[in-house]
Amino acid sequence: MTAAAPRPSGPAPGPPADAAAAPRWALRGGRLRFAARATLGLAITALIFAALSHWVDWAQLAALRRQARWEVLALGFAVFVVLYALRATRFVLLAPRTPFAAMFCITALHNMLLRVMPLRTGDLAFAVLVQRARTAGLGESLLGLVLLRLLDATVVIVVFGVTLALNPTIYRGSAAIGLSVALLLTIAGVAVIVALPQLLRLGLRLIGALAHRSGLAERPRWQQRLARVRGAIEAHVGLPRRVIMMQALLTVGHWLLNYLIMLVILRGVGVSISPSQAILGGTASTVSGFLPVSGVGSFGPLEAGWALGFALVGLPPALAVATGFAFSAVTFVYTAMMAVPGWLLLGWTLRRGATPAREAGA
């Protein structure tokens, strides 16, 4: 059972022997699951690195480092900070009891964990950190992340489709296929976002029916779990429409800043591209980065998608691969520069903006 951070007072449910044994088994199982994910992440990293290394020109990669314009890369970091502020604002809309300063620190830690943990398991960090701040339940936070991921994917496809429609000649793939796929995915994304409350309630009914048929629903712990899941879903479903509209607008700004960072970093390593090339080329890396198969350090699908996307908008394949490595390295440094002060200041920001404790949900 997922629960809030343990308190010194209050006995754990169940006999003492079970209460003592359960944490040990849970800890051991958690370690085994993490080890399995880490092993798979390392394998994915090694395989994709081997595939991309066939194309990369190491001399060219060294040349990108030599011709780096540090003042432009510093500008990229400034844009990166603004991007984090926008992300924190999106999260605050989902957990309004969380002080903005604390959410900014949580955002910095969340993104660092996304980079260092395999298979996007770092996404759980956001929900856990917000739960420990006692400003929203774990289930509410996870459902909020689901909504944001759906909005992210839909907005990325819309921006790609609009840019491709306005600049079909710079795209070396089939513009007709690209527009058709973008339209279909946009329709699917909007439909899922609109139907999400009904889909969540349907899922809850199915879980409840399975629990009743298996007899689990008669157990107190399962009753508590179902109640918490139900509360999380109802809290999510109850989001005002204006909040969802604000999230959609912020998501558009969020991804435009993302593409701006791509543009600035490429120019910072001496590769000049247009804003349209940044959007059309960067979309492939963005979409592949959504996949839950990334390796350690977020290395793998993002770089492979980057190489494919920028090769389709005119960069030589070897240069596309080299810039993918460079972009990944620079953004990793940016992320670390944000995560260290975020980690150091998170406790202080929570104490400074302390709110009445709220019992965490599922």
Side-chain angles (χ1 to χ4, degrees):
M1 178 179 65
T2 305
R7 302 182 180 86
S9 60
D18 291 345
R24 288 198 297 271
W25 281 106
L27 182 60
R28 184 180 302 174
R31 286 174 176 172
L32 289 174
R33 286 192 295 272
F34 179 79
R37 294 189 187 106
T39 300
L40 182 57
L42 285 169
I44 292 170
T45 299
L47 288 172
I48 298 182
F49 183 87
L52 291 178
S53 63
H54 174 72
W55 294 98
V56 70
D57 183 341
W58 297 104
Q60 189 169 56
L61 190 59
L64 292 180
R65 179 181 175 277
R66 287 194 302 270
Q67 65 194 27
R69 298 167 59 192
W70 301 107
E71 70 280 4
V72 178
L73 294 177
L75 174 61
F77 180 69
V79 180
F80 203 72
V81 174
V82 176
L83 177 67
Y84 267 49
L86 199 56
R87 286 179 178 173
T89 303
R90 296 170 77 203
F91 288 145
V92 167
L93 283 174
L94 297 175
R97 293 166 58 106
T98 310
F100 176 82
M103 188 61 83
F104 190 88
C105 294
I106 289 173
T107 301
L109 290 172
H110 169 224
N111 282 278
M112 187 64 192
L113 289 171
L114 276 175
R115 295 298 297 263
V116 301
M117 295 181 69
L119 306 181
R120 295 195 67 87
T121 48
D123 257 338
L124 295 174
F126 167 75
V128 171
L129 289 168
V130 172
Q131 183 196 35
R132 289 186 177 178
R134 301 188 183 282
T135 54
L138 186 68
E140 294 173 52
S141 300
L142 288 174
L143 289 176
L145 275 178
V146 170
L147 173 63
L148 291 183
R149 292 291 177 252
L150 288 170
L151 283 170
D152 285 339
T154 303
V155 167
V156 164
I157 297 302
V158 169
V159 172
F160 171 83
V162 171
T163 306
L164 180 57
L166 296 175
N167 303 272
T169 57
I170 67 172
Y171 187 71
R172 296 187 177 181
S174 171
I177 293 177
L179 288 171
S180 300
V181 172
L183 179 60
L184 290 175
L185 290 177
T186 299
I187 293 172
V190 171
V192 171
I193 292 169
V194 170
L196 189 58
Q198 290 74 21
L199 292 174
L200 291 173
R201 285 173 171 153
L202 175 62
L204 180 61
R205 286 197 294 270
L206 291 175
I207 293 172
L210 290 173
H212 280 290
R213 289 184 65 86
S214 63
L216 292 174
E218 305 303 321
R219 301 181 183 181
R221 287 188 178 184
W222 272 91
Q223 290 174 357
Q224 292 174 7
R225 289 175 180 175
L226 289 173
R228 290 182 175 184
V229 171
R230 185 178 298 108
I233 289 176
E234 291 305 321
H236 176 75
V237 168
L239 282 175
R241 184 167 296 180
R242 63 176 180 79
V243 171
I244 299 192
M245 293 301 297
M246 279 294 297
Q247 289 285 15
L249 291 174
L250 288 171
T251 302
V252 173
H254 171 271
W255 283 104
L256 291 178
L257 282 178
N258 254 307
Y259 291 123
L260 177 60
I261 289 171
M262 294 180 186
L263 179 68
V264 171
I265 289 177
L266 282 178
R267 292 190 175 181
V269 295
V271 179
S272 182
I273 61 170
S274 68
S276 298
Q277 285 176 302
I279 292 173
L280 295 177
T283 296
S285 66
T286 300
V287 171
S288 60
F290 287 148
L291 301 175
V293 293
S294 61
V296 176
S298 192
F299 183 88
L302 185 146
E303 286 75 14
W306 178 285
L308 174 63
F310 281 97
L312 285 172
V313 294
L315 265 63
L319 181 59
V321 174
T323 54
F325 277 72
F327 177 81
S328 188
V330 171
T331 53
F332 189 85
V333 172
Y334 286 173
T335 303
M337 290 171 64
M338 296 294 295
V340 171
W343 175 65
L344 294 173
L345 295 174
L346 177 58
W348 177 77
T349 57
L350 287 174
R351 289 191 298 272
R352 184 171 177 269
T355 55
R358 170 182 176 180
E359 188 68 22

